Each structure stands twice: as C-alpha cells, then as structure tokens.
Amino acid sequence: MPLLPRHPRTPAPAPRPQVTTTATRRHPRWLSAKLYGAAARQHEVLTEHLPLLIEGLPDGVDRWFFVRYRDPDPHLRLRFHGAPDVLHGPMARAVLAWADRLREQRLAGRLIFDGYEPETARYGGPDLITAVERHFHHDSLHVLQQLRSFPEGVPDDEKALLTAVNFVDTVRQVHGSHWPGWLLHTALDEACEPHRSYAHRNRREAWARYHRGDLTRPESAGRSEALGPPSRRSGAPSC
C-alpha cells in the first residue's frame, strides 16, 4: 500500500498581502499605503517594480511620492494625490494588484492603507505646501532614475554620497545665492557631535560631486521648477 500519493501535489499559492486600514484621519485627495518587506529587497522593489505601478497610474492622479521608513519594521510609504473617486477606486485596486504580484515573488508582506494629512505647518504653510509636494514628486522620480543607473555592486558609501549630492541640490534651490556658505559652514548640534568630522568631510565631497555634474538628469530641473521662483521659497524649511 503506497504511503505517498502517486501524483505531486499542487503547491499552495502565495497568500495575498495582509491588507489593513487604520483610523488615522484620511485626506480626501491623498491615498497613502505602507508596503512592508525586507529592507534588503527595497532596491529591487523600487527599481524594477514601482515603475510598473507608476506607468499605469489612472487618469485623475496628478502626483505621487515615496518614503523609506521604519516603525520599527522597514517599509515603503507610497502617497498618491488626485481626485477622490479615482484614488479610492481604480488607484487603490491598482495598488492591491501590484502588492499581490510582489507577494507572489516574496518581495512584500503586509499592505496597510493609512490615513495621511499633509504636514502643512512643517513645510512652510498653506502657501507653500503644494509646491513642496510637487518637489517630493519630482524628487522621487529623480531618485528612481538614479537608483536604476547604479551598476551592480556599487558600495553603500557611494549610494550615501549620491544621496548627499541630492541634498546639496535641494539646499541650492531653497537658499539661493547663499547656499554654499550654509552647506559648508552650518554647525551641527550636540546630538551630531560623534559624526562631525564625517559630516564635514562628506559635505565637501558632495559639493565637489555637484560641481562635476553628477546631477545632470532631467528630473533634477523638475525639482527646482516645482518649488517656484526664489521669492516663494523663503518660508520653506532650511534643513
């Protein structure tokens, strides 16, 4: 008598991501999602899979951005702005289907639709918040392009330095003609004391990278235009 079945069993399909909603206040024109997964796989998600979601955005979604975060579990926060009926209909369904595909490839775990309120006071008040959010959108496009351009095996220090170069560009956009002095000479607070020598050394390297043209990519111009003319930027955060 056989103790095992004669034909192989069909493998169980990967379970769908656990989808959760929270009670946090939800802005009607923003859809916010948290996609949990291993930090080591985020680069793959961002460079190979997020662009597929973005390419298929439905009409009515005019901007989006992402943030890497921990709470303490690593996750990506994805935020989409647009018409409420589009965000909470076609857009939400697109995010669910995208997360399903990531789950099948073992690239994602929980998916949470969360509330989101723009941090208006933090980013210069109601007159500036839309410009800042457009900057986030163009910055996300820029970062995805840079991540996709990294050759395989690039050291983490190199990636960190390119991140610093991006901050240099943002400082330039906010501070106008005074930005080199602000960047190179602003003192660190006491909490940063252990990192002072590292920070000063890499500020200067980031400055050199900036002048070598490491940011000559199309989306960099979009980031600057999103903030508007310099006269509108005086209320934007300085650091």
Side-chain angles (χ1 to χ4, degrees):
M1 178 181 294
L3 299 178
L4 295 173
R6 296 183 182 275
H7 19 265
R9 295 179 180 174
T10 303
R16 287 193 64 177
Q18 177 186 346
V19 179
T20 309
T21 57
T22 72
T24 307
R25 183 179 175 184
R26 186 178 72 185
H27 192 286
R29 288 194 167 271
W30 282 99
L31 176 70
S32 179
K34 299 177 183 178
L35 182 74
Y36 287 81
R41 306 302 297 274
Q42 285 182 353
H43 182 86
E44 183 177 351
V45 172
L46 290 171
T47 58
E48 298 182 21
H49 299 278
L50 182 57
L52 299 177
L53 175 65
I54 300 307
E55 288 169 6
L57 290 181
D59 292 339
V61 178
D62 61 355
R63 60 184 181 269
W64 62 274
F65 64 92
F66 77 89
V67 183
R68 299 186 198 236
Y69 216 88
R70 286 181 177 268
D71 63 357
D73 297 326
H75 62 279
L76 296 173
R77 296 190 175 186
L78 305 171
R79 288 166 180 164
F80 304 90
H81 180 273
D85 58 331
V86 175
L87 293 177
H88 306 295
M91 188 69 245
R93 291 194 295 272
V95 173
L96 280 169
W98 177 73
D100 278 346
R101 293 191 291 272
L102 293 178
R103 177 68 177 183
E104 289 170 358
Q105 298 174 63
R106 300 294 192 262
L107 289 171
R110 288 179 294 151
L111 175 69
I112 295 178
F113 285 110
D114 201 1
Y116 171 63
E117 275 292 316
E119 297 178 271
T120 303
R122 181 178 185 182
Y123 292 112
D127 293 338
L128 281 178
I129 187 62
T130 298
V132 170
E133 290 169 350
R134 293 189 188 281
H135 175 82
F136 293 162
H137 167 74
H138 286 284
D139 190 62
S140 291
L141 288 171
H142 185 67
V143 168
L144 288 185
Q145 186 180 44
Q146 288 188 318
L147 289 175
R148 296 177 82 175
S149 72
F150 280 141
E152 195 169 342
V154 169
D156 287 342
D157 285 351
E158 181 73 8
K159 295 177 183 178
L161 191 55
L162 188 54
T163 300
V165 174
N166 279 294
F167 281 121
V168 168
D169 192 53
T170 300
V171 169
R172 175 191 62 79
Q173 294 165 28
V174 172
H175 284 271
S177 61
H178 303 292
W179 73 275
W182 184 93
L183 173 76
L184 296 173
H185 304 300
T186 298
L188 301 179
D189 60 28
E190 293 181 2
C192 295
E193 181 63 38
H195 311 290
R196 186 177 299 276
S197 62
Y198 178 89
H200 283 298
R201 181 173 68 252
N202 285 279
R203 280 178 181 179
R204 295 186 181 279
E205 177 63 17
W207 163 268
R209 281 291 188 89
Y210 183 83
H211 281 282
R212 287 208 300 271
D214 285 10
L215 283 173
T216 53
R217 298 184 182 277
E219 286 79 3
S220 183
R223 294 191 303 181
S224 181
E225 292 166 4
L227 288 173
S231 60
R232 291 191 59 211
R233 303 176 193 172
S234 59
S238 60
C239 60

